[in-house]
Amino acid sequence: MLFEVWAPDADSVGLRLSGELRTMGRDPGRDGWWTAEAEASDGDRYGFVLDGGDGEEGGSDGGGAGLRVLPDPRSRRQPDGPDGESAVVDHSLFEWRSDWAGRGLPGAVLYELHIGTYTDEGTFDAAAARLGHLAELGVTHVSLMPVCPFPGTHGWGYEGVSLWAVHEPYGGPEGLKRFVDTAHGLGLAVLLDVVHNHLGPSGNHLPAFGPYFTETHHTPWGAAVNLDAPGSDEVRAFLLGSALAWLRDYRLDGLRLDAVHALADGRALTFLEELSTAADALAAELGRPLPLIAESDLCDPRTTTPRESGGIGLHAQWNDDFHHALHTALTGESQGYYADFAEAPLAALAKTVTSAFFHNGTYSSFRGRTHGRPVDITRTPAHRFVGYAQTHDQIGNRALGDRLSAALSPGLLACAAALVLTGPFTPMLFMGEEWGARTPWQFFTDHTDPELAEAVRSGRRREFAAHGWVSDDIPDPQDPATRNRSCLDWNEPSQEPHARLLAWYRELIALRRALPDLHDPDLASVRTAHDEQARWLAYRRGDLRIAVNLGEKPATIPLGGGRRRGGGDRVVAAWEPVEAPGADGLLHLPPESCVVLTDG
């Protein structure tokens, strides 16, 4: 077996394999690379020793007195966590059961899932046992939050440090494969959230090997990942290799790219373009779609514009503007970045439903400047934008991690579902949303470094105290109870009012699958009407009309002007009993209710 590592500044590199130290040689064909051939099998432990192993960089004690053995930057498995030795993984040993052809984004319904809190057990196997619920619900893609190793047992996953490996407490590489195989057997595609913009503050040994980070740019997490400074060719190759390994070795169906706006990259050919090119090439090789979905707050349509048209070429992007408009319309909240949307939330919602971005060259008070760029709705398919009422960010980054269900009536939750699932964008749900879960989803960590743990705890309390919260009311991220509170309660779906809401989600998802108008990619054909004071919004998609009344009083909604000649309106689905409009074209909609109508 060939062991290799990039360590351009090292004078010597040793391979410690199964307790034996071996000398590695420079690769004459690749600057900075060191290699060694050795017999090894699946599960064998190994690590690298730089310059005799007596440097100041952190690492694990490999068994020799004072010898620092560092994990492989490209480690496929970290059995003892990020600071331990790596382990060999032979991917060919896993026997895949499902013959899977893949599934693309057009017509998709996404479901964001965190392995550590989807069940009390917090493992791949426990989550896989619950995938039948998602197949019955009708979703098509499970979008996993990050699964790379991080210190401790429980965390969100965004502080991962071994970008090729799988968090051992979840079940390691074998556990992820079993999860994906089970999902494919049920007809579910699996996406994975990957983080390229930073690594966690603890357990990160990459700087010992080479210039993986650069002081040329600074991010909220410190020095930037090196995408454009000296040495960045190898860093980009490291990230590209990691991304493609998830898609190839674990048969994943696509990636969600975390906060791509935080990738500091001044090169003419950006890392994201390289990644989209490589992913498309792998998709062609494997014969199945491999979509890349960006999280970006830039409101820049070039993110998903095809490369041949001058764009970056990612396949979709989260649409926070739609979320913000929907959230303010439902809750009336106006703090922070909600301020721009809260001035006229129904108008903001109508704008996003027809234009994708609210900030498309408009002034953003939160940013103190003009923001965004218009989407060419005549050429951009609607499925390139992911629409949602809730995500891990929009729940977990609140002081108490409270979901919409903590404050809204079942009727308003039903309206939120209707707007997400009948809207033009690729819909996404956050786990438990489909039954109005009452469990919060809070910010939790399990840092093994006491100083870092205290810094996170006190920092979060200071942050929310500045916004008027009593610091003692903010959950302690390090308290195991914070994670435990965030686990879904699987007794809820069979109980009221959860069961009724779950049935509504199933009905809407089934309609989306059955009615072509609900996955029509033509944004330019969407027509809206709204009344800010009466708090109703209606929009047309082909032969369908969707109307929601967010107000506390019945609403009379004039639909007559848009009715097609000779057509008779018919109720397709409704949260509360409602009559189709009569000859006058007026729809009488109960408070906090919604309806799907057809005149086809």
Side-chain angles (χ1 to χ4, degrees):
M1 177 178 175
L2 178 66
F3 290 86
E4 54 184 357
V5 65
W6 182 59
D9 297 328
D11 293 322
S12 67
V13 179
L15 167 68
R16 185 178 176 86
L17 174 63
S18 300
E20 180 182 346
L21 187 63
R22 306 160 186 259
T23 300
M24 302 185 75
R26 293 183 184 273
D27 187 330
R30 295 182 297 169
D31 288 343
W33 282 87
W34 301 75
T35 64
E37 288 276 359
E39 292 290 331
S41 302
D42 184 78
D44 286 351
R45 306 293 182 91
Y46 73 98
F48 298 114
V49 178
L50 304 181
D51 296 327
D54 57 355
E56 295 182 359
E57 288 289 345
S60 65
D61 183 352
L67 186 66
R68 292 189 180 276
V69 181
L70 301 177
D72 184 356
R74 286 171 166 77
S75 170
R76 272 64 168 184
R77 185 181 174 203
Q78 290 297 118
D80 302 313
D83 292 318
E85 287 190 327
S86 303
V88 173
V89 173
D90 184 349
H91 287 297
S92 68
L93 296 178
F94 187 82
E95 296 184 8
W96 294 92
R97 299 170 300 165
S98 300
D99 185 14
W100 178 247
R103 199 162 193 169
L105 282 182
V109 178
L110 278 53
Y111 188 94
E112 191 182 23
L113 186 155
H114 178 259
I115 289 294
T117 51
Y118 190 60
T119 65
D120 289 337
E121 296 89 341
T123 65
F124 290 120
D125 289 340
R130 293 284 186 182
L131 286 177
H133 164 79
L134 300 185
E136 183 181 355
L137 179 62
V139 302
T140 61
H141 291 65
V142 181
S143 186
L144 294 180
M145 290 175 61
V147 301
C148 289
F150 54 87
T153 300
H154 299 298
W156 281 19
Y158 291 94
E159 294 182 338
V161 292
S162 296
L163 300 189
W164 296 58
V166 182
H167 193 48
E168 201 71 17
Y170 288 169
E174 292 286 302
L176 177 56
K177 291 174 185 175
R178 289 192 297 269
F179 179 92
V180 173
D181 204 25
T182 301
H184 288 171
L186 293 168
L188 298 168
V190 184
L191 310 173
L192 178 65
D193 194 340
V194 294
V195 185
H196 293 147
N197 51 63
H198 74 288
L199 276 77
S202 178
N204 175 18
H205 302 292
L206 291 182
F209 289 92
Y212 282 89
F213 300 88
T214 174
E215 295 291 340
T216 304
H217 309 285
H218 286 271
T219 74
W221 306 282
V225 173
N226 182 13
L227 298 177
D228 60 4
S232 58
D233 285 356
E234 290 291 355
V235 177
R236 289 160 76 113
F238 168 80
L239 297 175
L240 284 169
S242 166
L244 298 182
W246 294 116
L247 301 172
R248 182 183 57 249
D249 298 337
Y250 293 93
R251 298 195 179 184
L252 289 162
D253 298 287
L255 302 174
R256 184 260 191 188
L257 310 176
D258 182 63
V260 299
H261 52 269
L263 294 172
D265 185 359
R267 289 168 63 159
L269 177 61
T270 66
F271 166 72
L272 289 176
E273 290 175 80
E274 279 197 90
L275 178 57
S276 67
T277 301
D280 286 346
L282 183 60
E285 175 189 333
L286 298 178
R288 56 187 175 91
L290 299 173
L292 302 178
I293 303 174
E295 179 197 20
S296 173
D297 76 348
L298 299 178
C299 292
D300 186 352
R302 289 175 294 191
T303 302
T304 57
T305 298
R307 295 185 302 279
E308 57 269 24
S309 299
I312 293 174
L314 302 182
H315 305 93
Q317 60 183 305
W318 280 24
N319 188 353
D320 269 354
D321 279 14
F322 172 75
H323 167 272
H324 298 345
L326 177 55
H327 187 89
T328 55
L330 291 167
T331 67
E333 293 183 11
S334 59
Q335 72 276 15
Y337 48 65
Y338 292 135
D340 294 336
F341 303 84
E343 291 182 5
L346 274 301
L349 191 53
K351 181 178 180 180
T352 60
V353 166
T354 54
S355 304
F357 296 146
F358 176 79
H359 285 303
N360 54 4
T362 59
Y363 184 79
S364 168
S365 63
F366 175 71
R367 298 175 177 89
R369 59 172 175 79
T370 301
H371 187 70
R373 183 173 182 156
V375 172
D376 184 349
I377 61 174
T378 65
R379 301 177 61 187
T380 306
H383 72 257
R384 291 193 182 277
F385 303 96
V386 178
Y388 37 84
Q390 301 181 77
T391 70
H392 77 273
D393 270 329
Q394 302 300 340
I395 300 171
N397 284 327
R398 296 170 68 85
L400 301 180
D402 48 316
R403 298 170 179 262
L404 288 177
S405 53
L408 300 185
S409 68
L412 288 178
L413 296 176
C415 290
L419 291 166
V420 169
L421 291 168
T422 68
F425 310 127
T426 297
M428 184 178 73
L429 316 178
F430 181 69
M431 61 178 199
E433 172 187 338
E434 69 273 22
W435 71 72
R438 295 293 174 85
T439 49
W441 203 76
Q442 298 176 332
F443 179 68
F444 53 90
T445 57
D446 191 19
H447 291 301
T448 53
D449 180 342
E451 291 186 6
L452 178 59
E454 180 54 36
V456 170
R457 179 187 297 114
S458 58
R460 188 165 178 85
R461 288 178 170 171
R462 280 197 307 272
E463 174 188 355
F464 286 104
H467 295 285
W469 290 88
V470 177
S471 61
D472 288 345
D473 291 342
I474 307 303
D476 178 358
Q478 286 286 121
D479 186 345
T482 304
R483 176 263 172 184
N484 295 340
R485 282 192 297 270
S486 300
C487 294
L488 289 177
D489 180 356
W490 284 93
N491 293 313
E492 288 184 338
S494 61
Q495 303 169 355
E496 294 297 349
H498 307 288
R500 182 187 176 197
L501 188 62
L502 178 58
W504 177 242
Y505 270 85
R506 286 175 178 156
E507 183 177 7
L508 291 174
I509 293 173
L511 285 178
R512 189 174 185 92
R513 182 172 58 247
L515 302 177
D517 285 339
L518 289 183
H519 46 83
D520 182 356
D522 185 8
L523 265 175
S525 69
V526 180
R527 296 289 183 269
T528 69
H530 68 277
D531 186 315
E532 205 72 59
Q533 282 67 46
R535 289 181 46 74
W536 60 260
L537 171 76
Y539 53 90
R540 171 185 282 282
R541 302 195 64 201
D543 291 334
L544 299 175
R545 322 279 194 83
I546 296 89
V548 298
N549 176 13
L550 306 182
E552 297 177 351
K553 298 179 180 179
T556 299
I557 303 174
L559 298 180
R563 298 178 71 227
R564 297 186 177 184
R565 184 172 298 175
D569 286 312
R570 177 172 59 87
V571 174
V572 177
W575 176 250
E576 298 287 0
V578 62
E579 296 291 330
D584 59 4
L586 297 177
L587 171 68
H588 301 283
L589 195 56
E592 299 183 350
S593 188
C594 46
V595 63
V596 180
L597 302 159
T598 182
D599 63 4

mmCIF file of all heavy atoms in Angstrom, residues 393-428:
data_model
loop_
_atom_site.group_PDB
_atom_site.id
_atom_site.type_symbol
_atom_site.label_atom_id
_atom_site.label_comp_id
_atom_site.label_asym_id
_atom_site.label_seq_id
_atom_site.Cartn_x
_atom_site.Cartn_y
_atom_site.Cartn_z
ATOM 1 N N ASP A 393 -29.751 26.550 10.845
ATOM 2 C CA ASP A 393 -29.259 27.894 11.167
ATOM 3 C C ASP A 393 -30.353 28.762 11.766
ATOM 4 O O ASP A 393 -30.152 29.424 12.790
ATOM 5 C CB ASP A 393 -28.732 28.581 9.901
ATOM 6 C CG ASP A 393 -27.258 28.313 9.660
ATOM 7 O OD1 ASP A 393 -26.514 28.146 10.655
ATOM 8 O OD2 ASP A 393 -26.854 28.263 8.491
ATOM 9 N N GLN A 394 -31.492 28.781 11.102
ATOM 10 C CA GLN A 394 -32.539 29.718 11.481
ATOM 11 C C GLN A 394 -33.240 29.324 12.770
ATOM 12 O O GLN A 394 -33.948 30.145 13.359
ATOM 13 C CB GLN A 394 -33.555 29.854 10.336
ATOM 14 C CG GLN A 394 -32.940 30.308 9.017
ATOM 15 C CD GLN A 394 -32.259 31.663 9.114
ATOM 16 O OE1 GLN A 394 -32.523 32.439 10.022
ATOM 17 N NE2 GLN A 394 -31.374 31.950 8.166
ATOM 18 N N ILE A 395 -33.041 28.100 13.212
ATOM 19 C CA ILE A 395 -33.543 27.682 14.527
ATOM 20 C C ILE A 395 -32.411 27.729 15.555
ATOM 21 O O ILE A 395 -32.493 28.397 16.577
ATOM 22 C CB ILE A 395 -34.140 26.257 14.472
ATOM 23 C CG1 ILE A 395 -35.310 26.197 13.489
ATOM 24 C CG2 ILE A 395 -34.600 25.815 15.865
ATOM 25 C CD1 ILE A 395 -35.799 24.785 13.217
ATOM 26 N N GLY A 396 -31.334 27.023 15.256
ATOM 27 C CA GLY A 396 -30.275 26.844 16.238
ATOM 28 C C GLY A 396 -29.524 28.105 16.598
ATOM 29 O O GLY A 396 -28.942 28.187 17.694
ATOM 30 N N ASN A 397 -29.513 29.098 15.718
ATOM 31 C CA ASN A 397 -28.810 30.335 16.035
ATOM 32 C C ASN A 397 -29.694 31.347 16.754
ATOM 33 O O ASN A 397 -29.269 32.478 17.001
ATOM 34 C CB ASN A 397 -28.228 30.951 14.752
ATOM 35 C CG ASN A 397 -26.988 30.206 14.280
ATOM 36 O OD1 ASN A 397 -26.221 29.700 15.091
ATOM 37 N ND2 ASN A 397 -26.808 30.109 12.977
ATOM 38 N N ARG A 398 -30.900 30.959 17.101
ATOM 39 C CA ARG A 398 -31.724 31.766 17.993
ATOM 40 C C ARG A 398 -31.294 31.485 19.441
ATOM 41 O O ARG A 398 -30.730 30.431 19.739
ATOM 42 C CB ARG A 398 -33.207 31.440 17.799
ATOM 43 C CG ARG A 398 -33.725 31.798 16.397
ATOM 44 C CD ARG A 398 -35.115 31.258 16.153
ATOM 45 N NE ARG A 398 -36.117 31.910 16.982
ATOM 46 C CZ ARG A 398 -36.716 33.061 16.674
ATOM 47 N NH1 ARG A 398 -36.407 33.694 15.555
ATOM 48 N NH2 ARG A 398 -37.642 33.579 17.470
ATOM 49 N N ALA A 399 -31.558 32.405 20.315
ATOM 50 C CA ALA A 399 -31.067 32.287 21.688
ATOM 51 C C ALA A 399 -31.485 30.973 22.351
ATOM 52 O O ALA A 399 -30.687 30.319 23.027
ATOM 53 C CB ALA A 399 -31.557 33.469 22.522
ATOM 54 N N LEU A 400 -32.739 30.577 22.136
ATOM 55 C CA LEU A 400 -33.263 29.385 22.802
ATOM 56 C C LEU A 400 -33.465 28.224 21.842
ATOM 57 O O LEU A 400 -33.999 27.185 22.234
ATOM 58 C CB LEU A 400 -34.596 29.717 23.493
ATOM 59 C CG LEU A 400 -34.541 30.822 24.543
ATOM 60 C CD1 LEU A 400 -35.931 31.044 25.156
ATOM 61 C CD2 LEU A 400 -33.525 30.498 25.634
ATOM 62 N N GLY A 401 -33.069 28.400 20.579
ATOM 63 C CA GLY A 401 -33.233 27.325 19.618
ATOM 64 C C GLY A 401 -34.676 26.958 19.384
ATOM 65 O O GLY A 401 -35.003 25.795 19.117
ATOM 66 N N ASP A 402 -35.565 27.944 19.457
ATOM 67 C CA ASP A 402 -36.991 27.666 19.347
ATOM 68 C C ASP A 402 -37.434 27.584 17.888
ATOM 69 O O ASP A 402 -37.089 28.403 17.062
ATOM 70 C CB ASP A 402 -37.813 28.719 20.086
ATOM 71 C CG ASP A 402 -37.387 30.146 19.760
ATOM 72 O OD1 ASP A 402 -36.175 30.414 19.724
ATOM 73 O OD2 ASP A 402 -38.277 30.989 19.525
ATOM 74 N N ARG A 403 -38.222 26.571 17.606
ATOM 75 C CA ARG A 403 -38.804 26.371 16.289
ATOM 76 C C ARG A 403 -40.019 27.274 16.114
ATOM 77 O O ARG A 403 -40.547 27.845 17.086
ATOM 78 C CB ARG A 403 -39.255 24.919 16.121
ATOM 79 C CG ARG A 403 -38.145 23.870 16.205
ATOM 80 C CD ARG A 403 -38.765 22.488 16.276
ATOM 81 N NE ARG A 403 -37.787 21.404 16.325
ATOM 82 C CZ ARG A 403 -37.398 20.693 15.278
ATOM 83 N NH1 ARG A 403 -37.912 20.963 14.084
ATOM 84 N NH2 ARG A 403 -36.526 19.724 15.416
ATOM 85 N N LEU A 404 -40.535 27.358 14.880
ATOM 86 C CA LEU A 404 -41.769 28.099 14.631
ATOM 87 C C LEU A 404 -42.929 27.532 15.445
ATOM 88 O O LEU A 404 -43.822 28.272 15.876
ATOM 89 C CB LEU A 404 -42.120 28.048 13.144
ATOM 90 C CG LEU A 404 -41.254 28.879 12.195
ATOM 91 C CD1 LEU A 404 -41.702 28.642 10.750
ATOM 92 C CD2 LEU A 404 -41.319 30.360 12.534
ATOM 93 N N SER A 405 -42.897 26.226 15.688
ATOM 94 C CA SER A 405 -43.991 25.588 16.413
ATOM 95 C C SER A 405 -44.087 26.057 17.857
ATOM 96 O O SER A 405 -45.123 25.859 18.510
ATOM 97 C CB SER A 405 -43.831 24.067 16.379
ATOM 98 O OG SER A 405 -42.543 23.700 16.844
ATOM 99 N N ALA A 406 -43.033 26.698 18.383
ATOM 100 C CA ALA A 406 -43.088 27.194 19.752
ATOM 101 C C ALA A 406 -43.960 28.428 19.874
ATOM 102 O O ALA A 406 -44.409 28.755 20.978
ATOM 103 C CB ALA A 406 -41.674 27.515 20.246
ATOM 104 N N ALA A 407 -44.216 29.110 18.767
ATOM 105 C CA ALA A 407 -44.957 30.370 18.839
ATOM 106 C C ALA A 407 -46.177 30.420 17.933
ATOM 107 O O ALA A 407 -47.071 31.242 18.156
ATOM 108 C CB ALA A 407 -44.023 31.536 18.491
ATOM 109 N N LEU A 408 -46.247 29.578 16.918
ATOM 110 C CA LEU A 408 -47.314 29.686 15.920
ATOM 111 C C LEU A 408 -48.391 28.629 16.130
ATOM 112 O O LEU A 408 -48.121 27.531 16.614
ATOM 113 C CB LEU A 408 -46.733 29.541 14.514
ATOM 114 C CG LEU A 408 -45.676 30.553 14.086
ATOM 115 C CD1 LEU A 408 -45.303 30.318 12.620
ATOM 116 C CD2 LEU A 408 -46.154 31.985 14.299
ATOM 117 N N SER A 409 -49.580 28.963 15.693
ATOM 118 C CA SER A 409 -50.699 28.026 15.741
ATOM 119 C C SER A 409 -50.521 26.947 14.680
ATOM 120 O O SER A 409 -49.782 27.126 13.704
ATOM 121 C CB SER A 409 -52.005 28.775 15.471
ATOM 122 O OG SER A 409 -52.039 29.227 14.124
ATOM 123 N N PRO A 410 -51.212 25.820 14.831
ATOM 124 C CA PRO A 410 -51.162 24.801 13.772
ATOM 125 C C PRO A 410 -51.580 25.352 12.417
ATOM 126 O O PRO A 410 -51.022 24.956 11.388
ATOM 127 C CB PRO A 410 -52.140 23.729 14.279
ATOM 128 C CG PRO A 410 -52.099 23.858 15.768
ATOM 129 C CD PRO A 410 -51.958 25.335 16.018
ATOM 130 N N GLY A 411 -52.540 26.295 12.420
ATOM 131 C CA GLY A 411 -52.974 26.872 11.153
ATOM 132 C C GLY A 411 -51.866 27.629 10.452
ATOM 133 O O GLY A 411 -51.686 27.520 9.232
ATOM 134 N N LEU A 412 -51.105 28.422 11.200
ATOM 135 C CA LEU A 412 -50.003 29.159 10.590
ATOM 136 C C LEU A 412 -48.882 28.219 10.161
ATOM 137 O O LEU A 412 -48.223 28.459 9.140
ATOM 138 C CB LEU A 412 -49.479 30.222 11.548
ATOM 139 C CG LEU A 412 -50.388 31.439 11.759
ATOM 140 C CD1 LEU A 412 -49.784 32.396 12.777
ATOM 141 C CD2 LEU A 412 -50.648 32.155 10.437
ATOM 142 N N LEU A 413 -48.649 27.164 10.916
ATOM 143 C CA LEU A 413 -47.669 26.165 10.493
ATOM 144 C C LEU A 413 -48.116 25.509 9.194
ATOM 145 O O LEU A 413 -47.287 25.231 8.300
ATOM 146 C CB LEU A 413 -47.472 25.112 11.577
ATOM 147 C CG LEU A 413 -46.881 25.590 12.905
ATOM 148 C CD1 LEU A 413 -46.829 24.434 13.913
ATOM 149 C CD2 LEU A 413 -45.480 26.182 12.714
ATOM 150 N N ALA A 414 -49.415 25.276 9.060
ATOM 151 C CA ALA A 414 -49.947 24.709 7.824
ATOM 152 C C ALA A 414 -49.768 25.673 6.657
ATOM 153 O O ALA A 414 -49.465 25.262 5.531
ATOM 154 C CB ALA A 414 -51.425 24.361 7.996
ATOM 155 N N CYS A 415 -49.930 26.967 6.913
ATOM 156 C CA CYS A 415 -49.708 27.968 5.869
ATOM 157 C C CYS A 415 -48.244 27.987 5.433
ATOM 158 O O CYS A 415 -47.940 28.103 4.237
ATOM 159 C CB CYS A 415 -50.118 29.352 6.362
ATOM 160 S SG CYS A 415 -51.896 29.580 6.568
ATOM 161 N N ALA A 416 -47.349 27.891 6.398
ATOM 162 C CA ALA A 416 -45.919 27.845 6.067
ATOM 163 C C ALA A 416 -45.624 26.641 5.178
ATOM 164 O O ALA A 416 -44.879 26.746 4.185
ATOM 165 C CB ALA A 416 -45.082 27.783 7.343
ATOM 166 N N ALA A 417 -46.203 25.495 5.517
ATOM 167 C CA ALA A 417 -45.999 24.293 4.710
ATOM 168 C C ALA A 417 -46.515 24.498 3.293
ATOM 169 O O ALA A 417 -45.863 24.104 2.317
ATOM 170 C CB ALA A 417 -46.700 23.106 5.369
ATOM 171 N N ALA A 418 -47.689 25.125 3.167
ATOM 172 C CA ALA A 418 -48.261 25.345 1.840
ATOM 173 C C ALA A 418 -47.366 26.242 0.998
ATOM 174 O O ALA A 418 -47.150 25.987 -0.197
ATOM 175 C CB ALA A 418 -49.655 25.952 1.975
ATOM 176 N N LEU A 419 -46.828 27.300 1.598
ATOM 177 C CA LEU A 419 -45.994 28.232 0.850
ATOM 178 C C LEU A 419 -44.673 27.596 0.419
ATOM 179 O O LEU A 419 -44.153 27.899 -0.667
ATOM 180 C CB LEU A 419 -45.743 29.488 1.681
ATOM 181 C CG LEU A 419 -46.978 30.370 1.890
ATOM 182 C CD1 LEU A 419 -46.738 31.384 2.995
ATOM 183 C CD2 LEU A 419 -47.350 31.083 0.586
ATOM 184 N N VAL A 420 -44.130 26.722 1.244
ATOM 185 C CA VAL A 420 -42.879 26.048 0.894
ATOM 186 C C VAL A 420 -43.119 24.958 -0.147
ATOM 187 O O VAL A 420 -42.395 24.846 -1.141
ATOM 188 C CB VAL A 420 -42.211 25.466 2.150
ATOM 189 C CG1 VAL A 420 -41.050 24.533 1.773
ATOM 190 C CG2 VAL A 420 -41.712 26.576 3.064
ATOM 191 N N LEU A 421 -44.145 24.156 0.055
ATOM 192 C CA LEU A 421 -44.327 22.954 -0.749
ATOM 193 C C LEU A 421 -45.103 23.182 -2.038
ATOM 194 O O LEU A 421 -45.080 22.325 -2.928
ATOM 195 C CB LEU A 421 -44.997 21.866 0.095
ATOM 196 C CG LEU A 421 -44.109 21.300 1.198
ATOM 197 C CD1 LEU A 421 -44.906 20.449 2.178
ATOM 198 C CD2 LEU A 421 -42.955 20.481 0.606
ATOM 199 N N THR A 422 -45.799 24.305 -2.167
ATOM 200 C CA THR A 422 -46.455 24.615 -3.438
ATOM 201 C C THR A 422 -45.769 25.769 -4.158
ATOM 202 O O THR A 422 -46.184 26.146 -5.253
ATOM 203 C CB THR A 422 -47.941 24.977 -3.242
ATOM 204 O OG1 THR A 422 -48.040 26.225 -2.546
ATOM 205 C CG2 THR A 422 -48.674 23.899 -2.473
ATOM 206 N N GLY A 423 -44.742 26.335 -3.538
ATOM 207 C CA GLY A 423 -44.019 27.436 -4.153
ATOM 208 C C GLY A 423 -43.140 26.957 -5.293
ATOM 209 O O GLY A 423 -42.989 25.759 -5.550
ATOM 210 N N PRO A 424 -42.508 27.885 -6.011
ATOM 211 C CA PRO A 424 -41.742 27.526 -7.205
ATOM 212 C C PRO A 424 -40.374 26.913 -6.934
ATOM 213 O O PRO A 424 -39.779 26.306 -7.829
ATOM 214 C CB PRO A 424 -41.594 28.871 -7.922
ATOM 215 C CG PRO A 424 -41.639 29.892 -6.826
ATOM 216 C CD PRO A 424 -42.599 29.345 -5.812
ATOM 217 N N PHE A 425 -39.852 27.074 -5.709
ATOM 218 C CA PHE A 425 -38.486 26.643 -5.426
ATOM 219 C C PHE A 425 -38.426 25.178 -5.030
ATOM 220 O O PHE A 425 -39.449 24.562 -4.696
ATOM 221 C CB PHE A 425 -37.893 27.506 -4.309
ATOM 222 C CG PHE A 425 -38.051 28.981 -4.535
ATOM 223 C CD1 PHE A 425 -38.612 29.797 -3.571
ATOM 224 C CD2 PHE A 425 -37.667 29.552 -5.743
ATOM 225 C CE1 PHE A 425 -38.764 31.162 -3.785
ATOM 226 C CE2 PHE A 425 -37.821 30.916 -5.973
ATOM 227 C CZ PHE A 425 -38.379 31.717 -4.991
ATOM 228 N N THR A 426 -37.221 24.605 -5.046
ATOM 229 C CA THR A 426 -37.029 23.268 -4.492
ATOM 230 C C THR A 426 -37.264 23.343 -2.990
ATOM 231 O O THR A 426 -36.526 24.029 -2.278
ATOM 232 C CB THR A 426 -35.601 22.765 -4.766
ATOM 233 O OG1 THR A 426 -35.402 22.643 -6.178
ATOM 234 C CG2 THR A 426 -35.371 21.417 -4.106
ATOM 235 N N PRO A 427 -38.294 22.677 -2.480
ATOM 236 C CA PRO A 427 -38.600 22.820 -1.049
ATOM 237 C C PRO A 427 -37.666 21.997 -0.176
ATOM 238 O O PRO A 427 -37.171 20.943 -0.572
ATOM 239 C CB PRO A 427 -40.036 22.307 -0.950
ATOM 240 C CG PRO A 427 -40.184 21.357 -2.092
ATOM 241 C CD PRO A 427 -39.271 21.844 -3.189
ATOM 242 N N MET A 428 -37.430 22.522 1.026
ATOM 243 C CA MET A 428 -36.634 21.794 2.018
ATOM 244 C C MET A 428 -37.282 21.929 3.385
ATOM 245 O O MET A 428 -37.726 23.015 3.770
ATOM 246 C CB MET A 428 -35.200 22.317 2.073
ATOM 247 C CG MET A 428 -34.299 21.519 3.037
ATOM 248 S SD MET A 428 -32.580 22.086 3.056
ATOM 249 C CE MET A 428 -32.763 23.631 3.961
#
